[in-house]
Amino acid sequence: MLDTVILNDFIVEAKAATYVGGGVPRPPCRPGAHDIGYERGDWSYLDSYFGGTDFAGQEVVWLAGEPVWVMNYFGRVVASDLIDGSAAGTVIKAALSAMYREGRFLGGMEFNHPFGRYVDRSEGGCEGFSGQECIMVDGRRAYVLDYRGGLVIP
């Protein structure tokens, strides 16, 4: 049985070291993808996504070469008059850095930034979850990302 506390800790560590932490991109595993990964011991993590301002991707965690956890996501700027992709990325990195310092990666997060207010809500835990993050600017949604994932059980 997989210890979800250890899994959660690894996911937070890997997420903090990759997109948010400025990790080094890897050669893409699929044409047109942007890949970034992290390893520690028997654990490995890969975030692979397509696009830029509007994007879709998948994160996978392996333990001893076996996939054990997956998250899929799709995000996009919904009000380009309020925010662009670069500013949205700045807000997201700042907010997620704060969340990861708390030792978690799932919702219940609100974070104020000069470019907008980040809000993340989710249901469930590491073993199965869904949620949405958004950035509010002048009381309007400017960016939205939907995500879902959980354990992979053979």
Side-chain angles (χ1 to χ4, degrees):
M1 186 69 143
L2 182 64
D3 185 329
T4 56
V5 172
I6 294 171
L7 173 61
N8 184 85
D9 290 347
F10 177 76
I11 292 167
V12 170
E13 179 183 325
K15 285 175 165 282
T18 52
Y19 172 70
V20 167
V24 177
R26 298 183 168 187
C29 62
R30 301 170 289 178
H34 304 276
D35 291 2
I36 190 164
Y38 179 80
E39 292 88 23
R40 179 178 45 81
D42 286 340
W43 293 93
S44 61
Y45 164 92
L46 178 67
D47 181 2
S48 182
Y49 67 95
F50 296 92
T53 299
D54 296 0
F55 57 94
Q58 181 180 62
E59 299 173 26
V60 182
V61 171
W62 290 266
L63 176 58
E66 295 295 321
V68 295
W69 180 90
V70 173
M71 181 178 87
N72 295 298
Y73 56 87
F74 177 77
R76 64 191 182 103
V77 169
V78 295
S80 60
D81 58 318
L82 298 175
I83 201 165
D84 63 21
S86 177
T90 298
V91 174
I92 293 162
K93 285 182 178 183
L96 293 179
S97 290
M99 185 185 296
Y100 301 159
R101 283 192 299 273
E102 295 176 1
R104 62 193 185 92
F105 70 94
L106 289 171
M109 178 70 166
E110 295 191 17
F111 183 87
N112 289 318
H113 187 278
F115 294 151
R117 179 171 180 77
Y118 175 91
V119 179
D120 186 302
R121 299 282 183 253
S122 67
E123 294 181 3
C126 182
E127 41 298 302
F129 59 90
S130 63
Q132 184 178 79
E133 70 178 14
C134 71
I135 298 172
M136 304 293 292
V137 178
D138 297 334
R140 290 177 46 207
R141 284 182 174 221
Y143 158 89
V144 176
L145 178 138
D146 294 299
Y147 61 89
R148 63 183 340 102
L151 297 177
V152 175
I153 301 174

